[in-house]
């Protein structure tokens, strides 16, 4: 199998270490050597980076590839499944075009969309990031994602369950269909008047039922957990991916710190920032968003994430993209949010979006530029360790490699 030899590049290895001038050798789908100098075999294909940066592919920790940039939740339910799959495939390609070679799904808009997408990508039938497939969001009547009306049945990205037995049955059915992740909504959200962000709307028995199914079948559990109560129950019952954690009290923060070796936290501040300051064209002004409590929640999230990072909790970018004012394809903005809002250095933000993302994917060989790692690589025009915002410009991604194959070949 032929080798690909990157030379004359600035290497960001994803570990958080400073970049170095060096070379990287790829064979098959693996990096076989990385360092100041590498030994390439005769006949290796050589790519002269001309001083560009070579770094790991990005990992989106909170992807919604089947969300369609709609301005409301119920619009997702109006899309027939056939058209929905086609648009989801387009979103997957868009994410790979933006340098995201892996995605941890935080929910599918319909029960099997993530599964079909993952399988098509894994089979090589369609370009896209390697994906961990999730269920729709398992919620309660009146919870986030329940868009039904008394006189009208409607649907969106949720499956509505009530009581431990219903949650357990639905979780088992989704395991049967082949998901990697069971997603639950134990708390509400500020735009849901009957289930606000500070409210814990699932019972402990309901949360435990889903977690029991996941643990029995070796599946991951992800939770929309904004309230302190939801965070504490999720940690107690072994949820690995805590999304949001924006309204933690001291006890919830300590629970996350105590569980730092087994949990990941993704605050998804991207959607909150966009809702506060960029949703005006869709009728949601900054004043209206502030009145909902979103500014207070953002401030609380920033304070909490700084504490969690300082305590060694793995805090990852991933901004809940897939809504009209926070569309898919702009996901790399979250790295800039981490630098500007959460106090990360650019290298720390890149580490969170690469090596920590690989850990969230359950792979120690992902998100790093070192011997033995998967050859998911970006060749970037410029130095993201000085200005992480350049990762938002697809034109500056000179090369995109996933699994040792070029999605975007710098030689072309």
């Amino acid at each position: 199998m032929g080798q690909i030899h990157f030379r004359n590049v600035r290497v960001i290895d994803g570990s958080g270490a400073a970049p170095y001038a060096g070379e990287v050798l790829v064979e098959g789908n693996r990096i076989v050597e990385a360092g100041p100098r590498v030994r390439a075999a005769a006949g290796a294909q050589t790519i002269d980076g001309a001083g560009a940066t070579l770094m790991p592919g990005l990992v989106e920790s909170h992807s919604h590839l089947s969300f369609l940039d709609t301005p409301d939740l119920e619009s997702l339910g109006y899309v027939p499944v056939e058209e929905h799959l086609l648009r989801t495939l387009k979103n997957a390609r868009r994410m790979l075009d933006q340098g995201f070679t892996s995605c941890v799904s935080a929910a599918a808009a319909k029960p099997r969309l993530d599964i079909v997408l993952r399988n098509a990508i894994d089979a090589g039938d369609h370009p896209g990031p390697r994906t961990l497939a999730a269920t729709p969001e398992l919620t309660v009547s009146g919870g986030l994602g329940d868009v039904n009306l008394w006189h009208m049945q409607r649907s969106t990205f949720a499956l509505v369950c009530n009581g431990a037995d219903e949650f357990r049955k639905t979780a088992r059915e989704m395991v049967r269909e082949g998901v990697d992740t069971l997603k639950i909504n134990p708390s509400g959200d500020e735009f849901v008047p009957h289930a606000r962000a500070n409210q814990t709307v699932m019972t402990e028995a309901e949360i435990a039922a889903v977690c029991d199914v996941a643990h029995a079948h070796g599946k991951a559990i992800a939770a929309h957990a904004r309230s302190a109560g939801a965070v504490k129950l999720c940690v107690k019952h072994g949820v690995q991916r805590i999304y949001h954690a924006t309204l933690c009290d001291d006890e919830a923060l300590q629970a996350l710190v105590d569980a730092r070796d087994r949990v990941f936290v993704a605050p998804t501040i991207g959607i909150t920032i966009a809702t506060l300051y960029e949703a005006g064209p869709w009728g949601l002004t900054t004043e209206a968003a502030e009145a909902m409590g979103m500014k207070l929640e953002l401030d609380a999230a920033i304070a909490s994430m700084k504490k969690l990072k300082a305590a060694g909790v793995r805090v990852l970018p991933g901004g809940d993209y897939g809504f009209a004012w926070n569309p898919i394809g702009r996901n790399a903005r979250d790295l800039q949010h981490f630098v500007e809002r959460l106090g990360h250095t650019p290298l720390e933000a890149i580490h969170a979006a690469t090596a920590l993302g690989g850990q969230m994917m359950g792979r120690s060989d992902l998100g790093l530029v070192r011997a033995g790692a998967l050859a998911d690589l970006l060749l970037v025009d410029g130095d993201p360790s000085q200005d992480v915002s350049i990762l938002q410009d697809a034109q500056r991604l000179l090369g995109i490699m996933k699994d040792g194959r070029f999605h975007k070949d710098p030689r072309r």
Side-chain angles (χ1 to χ4, degrees):
M1 189 174 292
Q3 295 181 335
I4 299 175
H5 177 202
F6 293 92
R7 58 177 299 276
N8 193 15
V9 291
R10 177 191 303 106
V11 179
I12 296 177
D13 69 6
S15 71
Y20 64 88
E23 303 180 359
V24 174
L25 190 64
V26 172
E27 185 170 354
N29 71 339
R30 296 280 168 178
I31 298 168
V32 295
E33 193 175 353
R37 293 286 184 273
V38 303
R39 295 185 207 172
Q45 302 175 56
T46 298
I47 296 176
D48 188 334
T53 297
L54 192 70
M55 61 174 282
L58 298 171
V59 182
E60 169 58 69
S61 72
H62 188 112
S63 72
H64 289 303
L65 294 179
S66 58
F67 286 19
L68 304 178
D69 300 342
T70 58
D72 53 52
L73 304 187
E74 56 270 21
S75 291
L76 285 173
Y78 300 149
V79 182
V81 66
E82 297 86 355
E83 286 86 348
H84 208 140
L85 176 58
L86 292 175
R87 293 174 68 179
T88 300
L89 291 169
K90 288 182 179 179
N91 282 341
R93 179 162 195 151
R94 182 178 298 123
M95 286 292 287
L96 188 54
D97 289 342
Q98 294 292 141
F100 286 87
T101 56
S102 296
C103 284
V104 180
S105 178
K110 289 183 171 66
R112 296 188 68 253
L113 282 178
D114 269 7
I115 299 165
V116 174
L117 173 71
R118 177 200 63 199
N119 294 347
I121 292 171
D122 288 351
D125 295 332
H126 192 85
R130 69 173 53 76
T131 296
L132 295 181
T135 65
E137 306 191 17
L138 309 187
T139 195
V140 296
S141 291
L144 171 63
D146 179 13
V147 295
N148 285 301
L149 301 174
W150 192 259
H151 64 286
M152 183 185 302
Q153 291 295 309
R154 302 188 301 183
S155 64
T156 184
F157 51 63
L159 298 175
V160 179
C161 309
N162 291 289
D165 287 343
E166 282 191 20
F167 274 97
R168 185 178 295 108
K169 177 178 182 290
T170 302
R172 286 172 173 166
E173 290 173 343
M174 293 308 302
V175 168
R176 177 194 67 198
E177 294 301 313
V179 298
D180 302 302
T181 305
L182 299 172
K183 171 70 180 291
I184 57 176
N185 284 1
S187 73
D189 218 310
E190 292 296 16
F191 65 86
V192 184
H194 38 273
R196 301 295 294 273
N198 65 344
Q199 294 177 302
T200 304
V201 295
M202 285 179 67
T203 67
E204 182 170 0
E206 291 170 333
I207 293 170
V210 177
C211 292
D212 287 347
V213 173
H215 297 322
H217 293 277
K219 303 298 181 180
I221 318 112
H224 173 100
R226 293 188 179 275
S227 71
V231 169
K232 286 180 273 193
L233 287 173
C234 287
V235 173
K236 177 180 178 181
H237 290 282
V239 175
Q240 302 99 337
R241 302 176 198 150
I242 309 289
Y243 290 130
H244 314 303
T246 44
L247 298 173
C248 287
D249 57 18
D250 290 342
E251 188 178 354
L253 289 174
Q254 189 58 52
L256 291 170
V257 172
D258 292 343
R260 59 184 173 270
D261 292 335
R262 61 180 175 86
V263 300
F264 300 88
V265 177
T268 72
I269 60 174
I271 183 62
T272 308
I273 293 168
T275 303
L276 274 165
Y277 304 115
E278 299 172 10
W282 293 270
L284 186 55
T285 64
T286 296
E287 291 75 20
E290 288 179 344
M292 289 183 195
M294 289 195 169
K295 180 63 166 61
L296 293 175
E297 186 176 1
L298 176 61
D299 291 343
I302 290 170
S304 291
M305 295 311 128
K306 289 180 177 179
K307 292 176 182 177
L308 292 175
K309 175 179 176 288
V313 177
R314 292 171 289 189
V315 180
L316 284 71
D320 223 343
Y321 293 84
F323 297 93
W325 49 88
N326 200 43
I328 288 173
R330 295 169 60 183
N331 302 57
R333 291 182 77 194
D334 248 45
L335 280 76
Q336 186 174 354
H337 292 326
F338 268 44
V339 172
E340 294 178 351
R341 304 270 183 165
L342 301 186
H344 285 56
T345 67
L347 276 174
E348 287 174 334
I350 291 169
H351 169 66
T354 55
L356 294 188
Q359 293 175 28
M360 195 187 212
M361 291 283 294
R363 304 197 62 148
S364 60
D365 60 352
L366 182 63
L368 294 163
V369 181
R370 62 174 55 163
L374 281 173
D376 281 20
L377 298 167
L378 305 180
L379 186 64
V380 184
D381 175 18
D383 185 359
S385 71
Q386 298 300 314
D387 180 7
V388 76
S389 70
I390 66 176
L391 294 173
Q392 299 171 44
D393 184 356
Q395 298 302 312
R396 300 187 73 163
L397 303 181
L398 306 176
I400 300 171
M401 174 179 278
K402 178 193 160 196
D403 252 350
R405 296 176 179 269
F406 278 116
H407 172 67
K408 183 178 183 181
D409 194 327
R411 296 166 293 188
R412 296 176 185 168

